[in-house]
Amino acid sequence: MTLAFESIQTITRLTPLADVLALIDLRVKSVTPRTLDLTTATGRILAADATASARPSAALALLDGWALAADTTLGAGGYSPVPLLHPPQRIETGQPLPPDADSVAPLDAIRIVNGNAEALVTINPGDGMLPAGGDCDPGIPLRRAGEPLRMIDIAAFAAAGRARVMVREPRIRVLPLRGNGIVVAAARLIAGDIERRGGALKLDEAGRDLGTVLAAENTDAIVVIGGTGSGRNDTCVHTLARDCELALHGIAITPGETAALGFAGPRPVLLLPGRLDSALAVWLTVGRRILERLAAANNRDREAAEVLPLERKVTSTVGLAEIVPMRRLDGKAHPLATKYLALSALTRADGWILVPAESEGYSAGTMVSLKPWP
C-alpha cells in the first residue's frame, strides 16, 4: 500500500534557533509558586527571596578559649607578655560572650599563674567570635528568587531555622513514543536533566497514546521523543497540529532539524527527534529554555563553562546552529564530531559548544566555551 503524500510529515521551513527561543520567551509563562519542605526542595528554583531572622541574637564564641576585651592585650608578645587587670572568662564554642568582651583568645594565648593572668599575644577585636547577626541578616537574602537550591543551601537554611521554602516546580511529562532502546535512552537522559534542574518529572511508558497525553491537564509542559520525521510511522507532528497547536516544525539546528514546538492550551509541547544526539541537542538549546521559563530561573548558564582554545578548526554551515562535542586534552578543546554525533563521540566528549547560526565555524586557537553534558 502506498502512503498518501499528504499524510507524510514534511518540513517547509527551518525556523532559526533565535526565533524559537524568542517564541518561548513570549509564550511560556512561569508556573504558580508552591511551598515545599526543605527535605524535598533540592534543585528547585526559588520563587521568592529566602531570608532568615537575625542569627545569632548575641555574639558567640567560635572556639574554646578566653573571652576578653582585645585592647587589654595590646603590645603582647612571646617575649613581652602583658598583664591583665582581671583574669579573662573561660568560654567554649557556641557560648555567648560576656558583655565586656569583644573577642575570644585561644587557650594558649593567655597564661594564668597563681591567679594572675597575662596575654602572650595581641588579640584583635572580633577574633574568635561571631557577632550578633553574623550568620544571617534579615536584610540580605540567603538565596534570591530564580536561583536553584543547592545541597549547601538546604543545609544552611536548616541551620538558620527554616523548614519550608517557596519554589516554582514545573511539572514536566516526558513521553517516549516508541519502545526502542535509543528513544528510551534519550527519554531517560532528558528526564534526569529535568529533575536535576528543578522540574517535577513524570516519565511515561513507551508507546502511550500521544492524544491522551496532550489532553491531560495535570502538567505544565510535555516533551515527546520520536516520530518527528517523514517515516511511515511518524505522525506526532500531525497529531499535535490536529489536536492542539503546532507553532513550528523544523528548527535550524544540527543535529535536530526535525524537532517541532507547539502548545496544548498554555502548555508548551516539545517534539524531539528519535535519535539520541538530535534529542539531546534540541533539549540543551530549546528544552532547557522552556524549563527555565516555567521555573522563572534567572541563571541560564547554571553550569560554569570552561573557556579553552580550539585544537583545530571547526567548520559549520551558515544558517544552522550546531552542537559540537568536545574533549578536553592538554589544555585545549578537541572537536570530536559534527552533524551526526556518534555514541562514541558523546561518551568521549567532556562537553559541548554551540556554534551560532551566523558563524561559518571557528579557526584553530579560537577560545570557546565548553559546557558540560547532563
Side-chain angles (χ1 to χ4, degrees):
M1 179 178 177
T2 303
L3 188 66
F5 178 78
E6 290 77 7
S7 66
I8 298 176
Q9 294 182 156
T10 57
I11 297 173
T12 59
R13 173 180 179 266
L14 290 178
T15 302
L17 178 59
D19 292 350
V20 177
L21 300 180
L23 176 63
I24 291 169
D25 289 348
L26 177 67
R27 298 272 312 260
V28 179
K29 308 303 181 184
S30 59
V31 301
T32 302
R34 56 186 300 227
T35 301
L36 289 183
D37 290 337
L38 273 182
T39 54
T40 61
T42 302
R44 302 305 188 246
I45 306 298
L46 275 174
D49 290 354
T51 59
S53 301
R55 181 184 178 91
S57 57
L60 301 179
L62 288 177
L63 51 87
D64 299 331
W66 304 97
L68 45 72
D71 61 3
T72 62
T73 69
L74 286 175
Y79 296 102
S80 56
V82 171
L84 301 179
L85 184 60
H86 302 289
Q89 179 177 320
R90 180 77 178 268
I91 195 169
E92 296 183 355
T93 301
Q95 285 186 326
L97 268 66
D100 58 347
D102 63 5
S103 58
V104 177
L107 290 173
D108 59 1
I110 304 297
R111 181 168 58 200
I112 297 180
V113 178
N114 298 325
N116 297 315
E118 54 185 12
L120 304 180
V121 297
T122 298
I123 305 299
N124 297 311
D127 283 358
M129 53 86 74
L130 178 66
D135 256 340
C136 302
D137 181 342
I140 303 175
L142 297 173
R143 198 85 168 131
R144 295 191 178 275
E147 296 179 333
L149 287 170
R150 306 162 298 181
M151 293 180 68
I152 185 62
D153 302 323
I154 300 298
F157 286 12
R162 288 200 62 139
R164 296 170 69 80
V165 287
M166 184 175 291
V167 301
R168 284 190 171 90
E169 185 186 41
R171 300 164 300 170
I172 313 296
R173 191 163 183 170
V174 176
L175 170 64
L177 272 185
R178 296 165 189 162
N180 70 60
I182 294 177
V183 170
V184 171
R188 289 174 177 167
L189 172 64
I190 290 166
D193 198 52
I194 289 170
E195 288 190 313
R196 285 189 296 272
R197 300 178 75 85
L201 172 73
K202 176 176 175 54
L203 179 57
D204 279 300
E205 295 180 3
R208 178 161 292 184
D209 178 64
L210 176 56
T212 301
V213 172
L214 292 175
E217 296 184 356
N218 59 343
T219 186
D220 298 307
I222 299 168
V223 179
V224 180
I225 302 169
T228 63
S230 301
R232 292 185 180 89
N233 298 313
D234 291 340
T235 61
C236 69
V237 177
H238 282 167
T239 300
L240 178 59
R242 182 195 67 207
D243 295 348
C244 300
E245 175 193 352
L246 175 65
L248 58 96
H249 180 205
I251 300 176
I253 184 172
T254 185
E257 292 93 329
T258 65
L261 175 66
F263 296 88
R267 296 166 295 153
V269 180
L270 180 61
L271 307 182
L272 301 178
R275 267 174 32 194
L276 180 59
D277 63 332
S278 296
L280 175 59
V282 179
W283 171 256
L284 291 174
T285 53
V286 178
R288 281 184 172 178
R289 184 67 153 258
I290 292 172
L291 182 57
E292 289 163 356
R293 291 290 298 175
L294 291 168
N298 62 10
N299 56 330
R300 287 180 175 162
D301 294 319
R302 181 179 303 184
E303 294 89 4
E306 184 178 7
V307 179
L308 296 171
L310 267 179
E311 179 269 340
R312 59 181 173 84
K313 181 180 180 181
V314 170
T315 302
S316 184
T317 302
V318 174
L320 284 177
E322 184 165 0
I323 295 286
V324 182
M326 294 279 169
R327 183 174 181 83
R328 185 193 312 106
L329 187 64
D330 297 329
K332 294 183 178 181
H334 292 242
L336 298 181
T338 55
K339 312 306 179 187
Y340 175 73
L341 311 183
L343 300 181
S344 58
L346 297 177
T347 57
R348 291 170 55 217
D350 294 303
W352 58 283
I353 67 169
L354 177 67
V355 181
E358 62 273 14
S359 174
E360 294 181 345
Y362 299 127
S363 59
T366 300
M367 303 303 290
V368 294
S369 296
L370 180 62
K371 299 180 181 180
W373 288 131

